[in-house]
């Protein structure tokens, strides 16, 4: 877990870079983003260690969750680009007037709700195949795909469950979103055999 003292003893040597990092993360809701991409958008010079430190501070303040790629091999988890999940999906609308990422905002909302059940959450990607959230919950492995539009094809979910047969595939869409948010635990329990 996150060390709660990290905020108490943290020093911000470059406040403008800290603010810029926050703004960049807000613009990529529920998306993978490499540390190099973040660095490339900063106006100040920095390095990946500074960016990782700032992200850890945002996590300690419960502003963002940095999801790692799900893998049975720990070294692959550590080397993956994080998927940044704003814990308040409205962060995106504060900094953008565009509606082009509303599907990611919807995904962020689902992810923030799932984190209330378990912090043991990841994402998964192999090439173009992906699973939005991989959740370890009540001794089960849940592969959760979020669909905000009419397109229902979930090839990533199919491939993931072939690679990890113990995983239970779940699709959360606009149609079942109200039932999911009303009681997330009950919703998931109803889908677990």
């Amino acid at each position: 877990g996150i060390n709660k003292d990290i905020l108490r003893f943290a020093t911000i040597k470059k406040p403008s870079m800290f603010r810029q990092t926050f703004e960049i993360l807000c613009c990529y809701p529920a998306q993978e983003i490499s540390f190099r991409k973040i660095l490339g958008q900063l106006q100040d010079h920095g390095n990946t260690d500074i960016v990782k430190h700032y992200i850890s501070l945002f996590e300690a303040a419960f502003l963002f969750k940095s999801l790692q790629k799900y893998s049975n091999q720990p070294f692959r988890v550590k080397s993956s680009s994080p998927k940044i999940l704003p814990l308040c999906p409205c962060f995106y609308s504060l900094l953008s007037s565009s509606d082009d990422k509303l599907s990611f905002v919807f995904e962020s909302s689902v992810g923030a709700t799932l984190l209330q059940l378990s912090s043991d959450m990841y994402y998964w990607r192999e090439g173009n195949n992906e699973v939005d959230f991989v959740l370890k919950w009540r001794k089960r492995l849940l592969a959760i795909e979020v669909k905000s539009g009419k397109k229902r094809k979930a090839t990533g979910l199919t491939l993931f469950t072939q690679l990890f047969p113990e995983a239970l595939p779940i699709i959360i869409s606009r149609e079942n979103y109200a039932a999911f948010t009303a009681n997330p635990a009950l919703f998931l329990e109803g889908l677990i055999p």
Side-chain angles (χ1 to χ4, degrees), residues 2 6-7 12 18-19 21-30 53-67 83-92 94-95 108-109 111-113 115:
I2 295 169
I6 193 171
L7 290 176
I12 307 297
F18 184 72
R19 179 183 45 79
T21 303
F22 177 83
E23 291 172 356
I24 291 167
L25 296 179
C26 287
C27 292
Y28 291 92
H53 174 64
Y54 290 166
I55 290 174
S56 71
L57 294 178
F58 296 139
E59 282 194 272
F62 302 103
L63 297 172
F64 294 95
K65 173 72 174 168
S66 176
L67 302 180
K83 180 175 184 173
I84 301 299
L85 188 63
L87 298 183
C88 183
C90 73
F91 285 163
Y92 173 71
L94 291 173
L95 297 167
S108 292
S109 179
T113 303
L115 280 170

Side-chain angles (χ1 to χ4, degrees), residues 4-103:
K4 292 181 175 128
D5 288 332
I6 193 171
L7 290 176
R8 189 178 328 167
F9 301 112
T11 56
I12 307 297
K13 295 179 182 175
K14 297 185 177 185
S16 64
M17 183 183 286
F18 184 72
R19 179 183 45 79
Q20 289 171 36
T21 303
F22 177 83
E23 291 172 356
I24 291 167
L25 296 179
C26 287
C27 292
Y28 291 92
Q31 295 175 71
E32 290 172 62
I33 185 167
S34 70
F35 297 114
R36 286 185 185 192
K37 186 170 186 175
I38 295 171
L39 284 171
Q41 294 185 37
L42 292 171
Q43 294 174 357
D44 294 330
H45 294 290
N47 58 49
T48 56
D49 289 336
I50 291 173
V51 171
K52 287 178 183 179
H53 174 64
Y54 290 166
I55 290 174
S56 71
L57 294 178
F58 296 139
E59 282 194 272
F62 302 103
L63 297 172
F64 294 95
K65 173 72 174 168
S66 176
L67 302 180
Q68 299 303 314
K69 183 178 176 182
Y70 182 80
S71 176
N72 286 339
Q73 302 166 329
F75 72 90
R76 289 190 70 192
V77 171
K78 294 287 185 189
S79 66
S80 66
S81 292
K83 180 175 184 173
I84 301 299
L85 188 63
L87 298 183
C88 183
C90 73
F91 285 163
Y92 173 71
S93 61
L94 291 173
L95 297 167
S96 176
S97 58
S98 171
D99 290 340
D100 64 341
K101 293 186 179 177
L102 287 180
S103 63

